[in-house]
Amino acid sequence: MDIRVGDLVRSFDFSHLREEQGRNACYVEGVVQEIVSASGCNRYKIRCTRRIVAGEVEERDIGKEYFPPVNGTPTVFGGLTSFVEKIGE
């Protein structure tokens, strides 16, 4: 799934935890502002509209920017990143 500037997305903090509710839910929701090169790879620049940590809303994080690697970026463990997904499709 191709993610583009302007898309509403959910970026999970952990690749093995993709729960949307409950104490294991940890993610950022927001709009992709641009794709930038940082820390040696391309990253989504996401402006947070909703932040969930351990299943609880973190109001203080709304408006902050997050920079997860673009899906398909090689990981240090030999896999590929896939932390970010479009919302509403």
Side-chain angles (χ1 to χ4, degrees), residues 4 12-16 24 41-42 45 52 57 60 85-86 89:
R4 298 181 181 166
F12 292 95
D13 292 357
F14 307 103
S15 62
H16 62 288
N24 290 328
C41 66
N42 287 334
K45 177 181 174 183
I52 304 295
V57 175
R60 67 178 183 219
E85 61 185 32
K86 281 187 191 181
E89 283 198 1

Side-chain angles (χ1 to χ4, degrees), residues 3-38:
I3 294 176
R4 298 181 181 166
V5 172
D7 286 344
L8 180 61
V9 296
R10 182 177 296 121
S11 176
F12 292 95
D13 292 357
F14 307 103
S15 62
H16 62 288
L17 293 175
R18 293 187 181 245
E19 295 179 31
E20 294 179 29
Q21 298 178 4
R23 66 184 185 125
N24 290 328
C26 294
Y27 57 87
V28 170
E29 290 181 352
V31 177
V32 176
Q33 303 296 299
E34 62 182 307
I35 297 174
V36 299
S37 179

